[in-house]
Amino acid sequence: VAAVPSSGEQVRGAPAPHLVFVPSAGMGHIQPFCRFITALANMGVEISVVTALPTVTEAEADHSAGLFAAFPAIRRIDFNLLPLDDATVAETDPFFLRWEALRRSAHLLGPLIAGAAPRASAIVTDVTLASHVIPVAKNELQIPCHILFISCTTMLSFLAYFPAYLDSANADHLVGDVDVPGIGRVPVDYPPQLLRDPDSLFTKQFIDNGREIARADGLLVNTFDALEPEVLAALRGGKVVPGFPPVYAVGLLNLMSTTTAARGDKVVEPVHGASPIIGWLGEQPARSVVYVAFGSRIAAALEQIREIGAGLEASGCRFLWVVKTTVVDRQDTAELGDVVGNGFLGRVQGRGLVTKEWVDQEAVLRHPAVGLFISHSGWNSVTESATHGVPILAWPMLGDQRLIATVVRSGGFGLWMEHWTWEKEESIVTGAEIAEKVKEVMGDEAISARVAEVREEAIKAVAPGGSTHRSIQQFLSTLN
Ligand code: UDP
Ligand code: G50
């Protein structure tokens, strides 16, 4: 991939800008931050990263340690979080709790960043922290603040419009379909369902962040112009929120960092040769393997896990299945054989590989043996799949995943099984239905052709002169 601009390209003649990154928690947030930082570091930008330790999960710790090891010039600014009070600790989601702890400690960032040398040109933070970090940057430090948005532009538009929706509906939570100007009607069950609960921590953060992003200096979105053209145009044209800040489409970020390369390209081959999973994939025919994984964030119900197993077995296809039974990887002590059920592993031996370990998902999706991805449609997963030309069978669980599934569907590079849910016991998706759908999509040439096209468009976007390349140059040109 001729994706990465040559070192120092945008800083010729002027001192390099110094960006201070303030990332949030969860692999879906950390991963794109590391990728964007890698891309900018390769372009000669000076970078500091505010780091709160310990991380929620081991995967996050490994990932951020990997970044500092690969780029010794990137400075780490240690961030000691204030403890949360008891009332807040009633919330059980470990990631939402961490977001809250980061938000409530954000006022400590002022002195930390003021002391950075050279002087910080701007802050780049995560959307989950926006309403607390933007005021620190703009009021206290008087430097610009940008948001690196880790989900799709459809989600960004929804977030940006949500406060206006609440005002117009005279409500303090999601009460019905939402007509997002310039985008269209969003059915009530598509946005994060927690927004139906006015008392949830998530809802409070979401509303505050939605209001505050209008004051950001720019939104850097992990997408590219040809992937979500209409939504980007509506947002940029001020149709969603009048006077909205500039929106820079800077993705897809997995193509922007030099530690990854698209399938089929010879430029960079990461060192995963020793991995038994990649070894096994190497023995399978091209496009024959179904990759099944539902992200880093959620555990599925046991009964549904068993049906997925039955479906994969009945499909007759080869498969690689990542089974996750806990929310936080440090706590996963379940025996794999017990989880997937009696005799399953023996019956599928050779044809299917099942693991509960963290896998290098990009390396899997890049592998020519993989022909389909059954995914919870987290935005990182969807964009990784698209860049490697792997069709997606979207099975969203929660949060932003349904809105992301609409992007998969309208983009034509996968299918969304809209009636496949995870919520109720009566809605368990049967193995028979899963097997049927897998066989159908594995043979669907229209989807394969479309995903190959999206991949080409993505590669074009990040190449010199492409839309992403230009967006990043534009963003950097605003810094001094
Ligand atoms: N991931 C991975 N190995 C795993 C699980 C996840 O490498 O076993 C990576 C995946 O490639 C993606 C990120 O973790 O980059 C998960 O982000 P996504 O937005 O897809 O979903 P989330 O986990 O936030 O729900
Ligand atoms: C993680 C998650 C649920 C969820 C989202 C996650 C998003 C992303 C956008 O990233 O929707 C977003 C989240 C929080 C916020 C503003 C925007 O305050 O587990 O829905």
Side-chain angles (χ1 to χ4, degrees):
V1 181
V4 182
S6 57
S7 178
E9 182 180 321
Q10 83 300 333
V11 291
R12 215 172 285 136
H18 175 202
L19 288 178
V20 176
F21 282 83
V22 186
S24 187
M27 271 307 282
H29 296 250
I30 299 285
Q31 179 84 286
F33 266 75
C34 287
R35 286 172 172 162
F36 191 50
I37 289 168
T38 300
L40 294 180
N42 282 329
M43 295 166 79
V45 176
E46 293 212 44
I47 290 167
S48 297
V49 183
V50 171
T51 309
L53 295 172
T55 57
V56 181
T57 63
E58 273 171 19
E60 292 170 80
D62 291 351
H63 220 73
S64 108
L67 177 76
F68 291 113
F71 293 91
I74 295 179
R75 297 177 198 81
R76 197 172 97 184
I77 301 179
D78 288 314
F79 187 22
N80 295 312
L81 299 180
L82 299 172
L84 285 174
D85 57 54
D86 293 347
T88 314
V89 178
E91 163 73 50
T92 54
D93 185 295
F95 298 95
F96 298 164
L97 278 173
R98 174 52 71 88
W99 298 353
E100 189 65 13
L102 287 161
R103 291 162 61 80
R104 293 200 192 173
S105 304
H107 59 281
L108 303 175
L109 287 172
L112 278 181
I113 296 173
R119 182 179 185 272
S121 322
I123 291 179
V124 178
T125 193
D126 188 89
V127 69
T128 58
L129 314 180
S131 63
H132 283 60
V133 175
I134 291 174
V136 170
K138 303 195 64 93
N139 307 347
E140 198 177 325
L141 296 166
Q142 293 172 354
I143 55 175
C145 191
H146 294 264
I147 307 296
L148 176 59
F149 193 74
I150 48 67
S151 188
C152 59
T153 319
T154 305
M155 185 66 205
L156 175 57
S157 308
F158 181 83
L159 169 71
Y161 181 68
F162 193 61
Y165 156 80
L166 293 179
D167 295 344
S168 71
N170 204 7
D172 62 357
H173 64 292
L174 180 67
V175 291
D177 296 354
V178 181
D179 283 309
V180 183
I183 309 283
R185 172 157 296 211
V186 175
V188 66
D189 51 352
Y190 285 15
Q193 292 303 293
L194 277 171
L195 296 177
R196 294 188 193 217
D197 174 5
D199 299 323
S200 79
L201 199 52
F202 180 86
T203 303
K204 292 183 180 134
Q205 296 172 347
F206 194 86
I207 296 169
D208 286 354
N209 290 328
R211 282 193 206 284
E212 190 69 20
I213 55 170
R215 290 214 317 136
D217 291 273
L219 280 295
L220 305 154
V221 189
N222 184 15
T223 191
F224 60 98
D225 284 3
L227 186 60
E228 299 176 273
E230 289 93 8
V231 187
L232 276 167
L235 204 53
R236 286 171 172 159
K239 290 200 179 110
V240 180
V241 172
F244 199 68
V247 178
Y248 304 95
V250 299
L252 299 177
L253 292 174
N254 59 327
L255 281 178
M256 287 303 299
S257 64
T258 47
T259 50
T260 58
R263 168 149 76 186
D265 293 290
K266 293 171 214 80
V267 185
V268 189
E269 261 320 310
V271 277
H272 301 301
S275 146
I277 287 178
I278 300 303
W280 178 81
L281 285 173
E283 292 159 13
Q284 315 308 318
R287 302 277 176 198
S288 70
V289 175
V290 184
Y291 170 54
V292 187
F294 301 104
S296 63
R297 191 69 184 74
I298 351 165
L302 196 61
E303 196 186 341
Q304 186 61 77
I305 291 178
R306 299 273 167 88
E307 291 297 323
I308 293 169
L312 291 171
E313 193 177 353
S315 74
C317 294
R318 292 158 211 266
F319 61 88
L320 168 61
W321 180 19
V322 184
V323 177
K324 196 168 163 357
T325 56
T326 57
V327 171
V328 174
D329 50 16
R330 294 178 215 270
Q331 299 159 350
D332 194 350
T333 54
E335 269 303 319
L336 192 54
D338 297 339
V339 176
V340 293
N342 232 343
F344 180 82
L345 294 177
R347 291 198 303 279
V348 300
Q349 205 178 5
R351 172 157 83 80
L353 209 57
V354 189
T355 178
K356 63 182 189 107
E357 300 300 315
W358 183 261
V359 303
D360 183 343
Q361 177 164 299
E362 269 251 278
V364 168
L365 288 167
R366 185 188 302 117
H367 201 286
V370 176
L372 175 65
F373 183 10
I374 305 185
S375 169
H376 71 312
S377 70
W379 188 239
N380 295 290
S381 293
V382 164
T383 52
E384 287 159 13
S385 203
T387 48
H388 297 300
V390 178
I392 296 151
L393 189 52
W395 188 352
M397 290 181 151
L398 47 71
D400 50 355
Q401 296 157 11
R402 283 201 177 97
L403 281 174
I404 294 168
T406 67
V407 179
V408 172
R409 180 167 67 189
S410 61
F413 52 91
L415 280 190
W416 175 19
M417 303 311 297
E418 200 173 334
H419 65 284
W420 288 12
T421 68
W422 297 88
E423 278 113 37
K424 302 164 229 99
E425 260 175 38
E426 64 270 25
S427 68
I428 293 277
V429 182
T430 65
E433 188 173 354
I434 295 168
E436 211 40 55
K437 211 68 210 171
V438 165
K439 284 190 278 190
E440 188 186 314
V441 191
M442 282 295 263
D444 190 319
E445 285 179 11
I447 295 179
S448 299
R450 177 61 191 141
V451 75
E453 223 168 73
V454 173
R455 173 178 183 263
E456 291 307 314
E457 288 165 353
I459 292 174
K460 233 184 264 166
V462 299
S467 60
T468 287
H469 189 262
R470 280 181 280 127
S471 267
I472 293 185
Q473 297 298 329
Q474 246 171 35
F475 159 63
L476 292 174
S477 74
T478 69
L479 306 174
N480 47 46

